[in-house]
Amino acid sequence: MIQLRNIRKSYQTGFTSLEVLKGIELDIQEGEFVSIMGSSGSGKSTLLNILGILDDYTEGEYVLDNTLIKNLSQKQAAQYRNQFIGFVFQSFNLLSFKTALENVALPLYYQKVPRKKRQELALEYLDRVGLKEWAHHLPTQMSGGQQQRVAIARALISKPKVLLADEPTGALDTKTSYEVMDIFKEVNNQGITIIVVTHENDIAEMTNRIIRLRDGVIESNTILAQ
Amino acid sequence: MFDFDKWQEIFNTIEKNKLRSTLTALGVFWGIFMLILLLGAGKGMENGVLQMFGDQAVNSLYVWTQKTTKPYKGFSPGRRVQFTNDDIKALRDNFPEIKHVASRIHMGSLTFIKGNNTGAYEVRGELPDYIHIEPIDIREGRFFNPLDIKERRKIIVIGKAIKKVLFGDEEALGKYVKVGGIDYRITGIFKSKRKGERAMEDEQTAFIPLTTAQQIMNMPNRIHWFVCSMHDDIVVSDVEGELKALLRKRHSIHPEDKEGIGSFNLAKEFGQFTGLFAAIKLFVGFVGIMTLFAGIVGVGNVMLIIVKERTKEIGIRKAMGATPGSIISMILLESVFITTLSGYLGLLAGTGLLSLVSYALKEFDAESMFFANPEVDFSIGLLALTLLVFFGAIAGLIPALHAARINPVVALRDE
């Protein structure tokens, strides 16, 4: 599903350039549930942004579902994002002025799905995360766990190949964190590849593979028997 | 193509961000509103001053006699000549430029008696042409015709104010009134076409046929002075000199004598006013354009702030697969929609207020010589609005492009 070949990324800061990723080699198969760990500054967020086609890389090759992701125009990048990837963020990133239902339906709007169909699907996905009754509430009226579940429903509605989660449990207490991870597992069981960035060991333990980053290189790549 | 879904998304965003939308709208509304008021006020001033002229034929020349100052052909200075009907005939023969001539005799203030009601009013002897030069609004009856002049009929046309004093609400047309000891039949009652004090003055005047006045004053063939209007394509100043030269010659006045015959060129006076208003229009236009410009900068500014404020939202939308194009059109359409709607409302409110003021001025007869009937061409308003929306969109384009370049990574970075 994902092949990273010698991925390098450097940022130009003034006269010096800072290399954040120093040649990442990584293969992730379809249906895997992977966690990426590392201290801050290890490059894990940068890696996730590259995987999510939110950011460009300086060198190397990134192939996603047999499509080379390189030197894309903004428009192409947006289309691939919409088509391949679902995002879940630490701070949920729901649009505060839209209801749960509207938030979930948003990716379909950019796929030009008709309104009625959008709403039907959005309701179905909200039901899957157990929030059907909350469809017409604003994010501010919901708890953190509920908001994250809305965000997951939103990430799933476009039927992505890969679900990318950036510290999805960072803002949640242990109990809700586990609930969210349970949802991820369920989603993973349906065959969707999931990549979670986290710095919590217990969260990482729930995935099938832990990739540890340090100073821009992969330090270890451990497959867990689950 | 009308993209229903896109508009729904835009309405949704506008509705959910009422304060932001209202503030933007208010700026545009106010800009257009003030522009319309400004234009209307300028027009009102112009109308007020131009109304002084009523419906008067402005392309006209007033001519009268004065004391001569130079000896000529055996005449000593200090003489005062008198115009005659023959002068008018000579002018008519020599100057095809002249359209209408109204020779006049001033009879001064005469006593009007009707039953127990009396009053003293200005009376003038006039020709039928008078009504073409200084139009009055004949409310009842008629003005003079050539037969009245030929037969020296004892008829009189009186102002509305005189009728009111002498007859009250009774019928006056066809009745007789004693003026300066002679009975006249009233054939017409008129209302002034001017406004305010000038109208009141006009309506306290009465006219009798010129020939009748000549007979009563015992000055057959003679007139006091005259007004002549020129055809529309004639410049009065071009004719004025020659016309006066002919009169000087007929009355043996020294050709270099600047006195002797006096004249007043109304066209010149009017030209000065129109020149003044052209300048005022230019000024108002300039201020208007500057106001519009301020409005455009305002819209652009607000849009820039909006984009800043929406950075995160735009980041999220991009992460969800929004293309740069869809972000640009979202921001632009939102701004164009808000500016168009609020600008149009401002246009309506401005023209509404103007017509209200106009109505009130008319209703309470408060139109003065400096302000009357403020109005604005709706098409000019629409043009202003179109300009505002167009440049507003251009002003909004910069923030929109800015928005399209927003990097979702940066936008979504947690503080």
Side-chain angles (χ1 to χ4, degrees), chain B residues 176-220:
Chain B
Y176 284 85
V177 61
K178 202 182 271 293
V179 178
I182 298 166
D183 280 320
Y184 294 87
R185 195 162 59 87
I186 297 169
T187 58
I189 297 161
F190 73 90
K191 185 173 177 290
S192 174
K193 284 196 171 179
R194 301 196 286 187
K195 298 280 173 190
E197 267 175 50
R198 286 161 180 271
M200 271 160 59
E201 230 171 77
D202 285 348
E203 284 160 10
Q204 295 188 17
T205 310
F207 309 120
I208 62 174
L210 182 76
T211 46
T212 315
Q214 283 173 330
Q215 192 174 34
I216 289 163
M217 298 283 283
N218 194 24
M219 42 192 285

Side-chain angles (χ1 to χ4, degrees), chain A:
Chain A
M1 174 61 56
I2 288 174
Q3 288 101 41
L4 295 181
R5 295 281 164 268
N6 190 29
I7 293 288
R8 288 172 186 275
K9 171 76 182 173
S10 50
Y11 289 104
Q12 216 66 35
T13 50
F15 295 105
T16 59
S17 85
L18 178 72
E19 194 162 44
V20 183
L21 297 179
K22 302 167 180 167
I24 301 281
E25 296 277 345
L26 184 62
D27 282 278
I28 295 171
Q29 304 306 316
E30 188 165 0
E32 271 199 272
F33 190 3
V34 181
S35 58
I36 299 175
M37 294 194 73
S39 56
S40 69
S42 62
K44 61 182 192 303
S45 286
T46 308
L47 181 61
L48 193 76
N49 288 334
I50 289 171
L51 288 174
I53 328 178
L54 290 170
D55 210 347
D56 229 342
Y57 49 95
T58 323
E59 222 179 276
E61 252 180 26
Y62 167 26
V63 178
L64 171 63
D65 194 29
N66 299 322
T67 311
L68 177 64
I69 306 295
K70 194 167 190 177
N71 298 329
L72 298 178
S73 73
Q74 287 229 30
K75 190 174 174 181
Q76 265 178 315
Q79 279 162 355
Y80 284 146
R81 269 202 295 277
N82 189 276
Q83 189 182 335
F84 289 132
I85 295 161
F87 287 97
V88 176
F89 304 93
Q90 177 176 2
S91 51
F92 323 133
N93 282 335
L94 299 173
L95 295 184
S96 58
F97 58 88
K98 283 180 175 288
T99 62
L101 187 76
E102 289 166 334
N103 265 294
V104 173
L106 191 65
L108 294 184
Y109 166 72
Y110 288 113
Q111 284 182 0
K112 312 236 178 282
V113 174
R115 184 178 175 78
K116 237 195 151 104
K117 177 101 193 196
R118 278 205 312 262
Q119 296 201 327
E120 268 171 36
L121 276 171
L123 204 60
E124 190 188 315
Y125 275 85
L126 271 178
D127 195 23
R128 274 166 74 167
V129 295
L131 287 174
K132 198 174 177 180
E133 286 74 41
W134 292 78
H136 298 290
H137 284 72
L138 291 174
T140 44
Q141 297 163 328
M142 307 170 103
S143 72
Q146 287 172 320
Q147 287 189 52
Q148 194 60 298
R149 275 144 69 190
V150 172
I152 293 169
R154 180 180 66 180
L156 292 176
I157 199 166
S158 56
K159 296 198 174 68
K161 305 273 183 206
V162 181
L163 189 68
L164 295 178
D166 189 4
E167 304 267 10
T169 57
L172 304 175
D173 60 42
T174 312
K175 186 169 168 284
T176 34
S177 291
Y178 288 178
E179 279 170 21
V180 165
M181 288 311 286
D182 285 343
I183 295 174
F184 278 154
K185 259 185 214 165
E186 213 173 288
V187 169
N188 181 241
N189 288 340
Q190 288 157 17
I192 293 175
T193 314
I194 299 181
I195 302 172
V196 177
V197 168
T198 183
H199 58 261
E200 291 163 87
N201 279 314
D202 55 337
I203 296 298
E205 298 288 331
M206 294 180 191
T207 64
N208 301 339
R209 175 146 73 123
I210 301 177
I211 294 159
R212 285 180 200 278
L213 283 185
R214 182 184 286 265
D215 300 330
V217 290
I218 294 175
E219 187 191 38
S220 70
N221 194 338
T222 323
I223 293 176
L224 304 174
Q226 295 222 335

Side-chain angles (χ1 to χ4, degrees), chain B residues 75-87:
Chain B
F75 290 110
S76 53
R79 184 172 58 108
R80 185 163 187 153
V81 303
Q82 193 133 34
F83 290 146
T84 65
N85 288 347
D86 301 331
D87 289 324

Side-chain angles (χ1 to χ4, degrees), chain B residues 294-347:
Chain B
I296 290 161
V297 171
V299 172
N301 225 334
V302 171
M303 292 312 294
L304 203 63
I305 294 169
I306 285 175
V307 166
K308 266 269 177 291
E309 189 207 281
R310 292 173 77 172
T311 300
K312 188 142 194 162
E313 179 199 331
I314 291 164
I316 294 171
R317 285 180 185 274
K318 283 188 123 182
M320 295 303 124
T323 57
S326 76
I327 297 287
I328 290 175
S329 74
M330 178 180 77
I331 302 273
L332 266 192
L333 282 179
E334 196 184 312
S335 88
V336 166
F337 177 77
I338 291 179
T339 46
T340 310
L341 185 70
S342 56
Y344 189 71
L345 287 179
L347 190 64

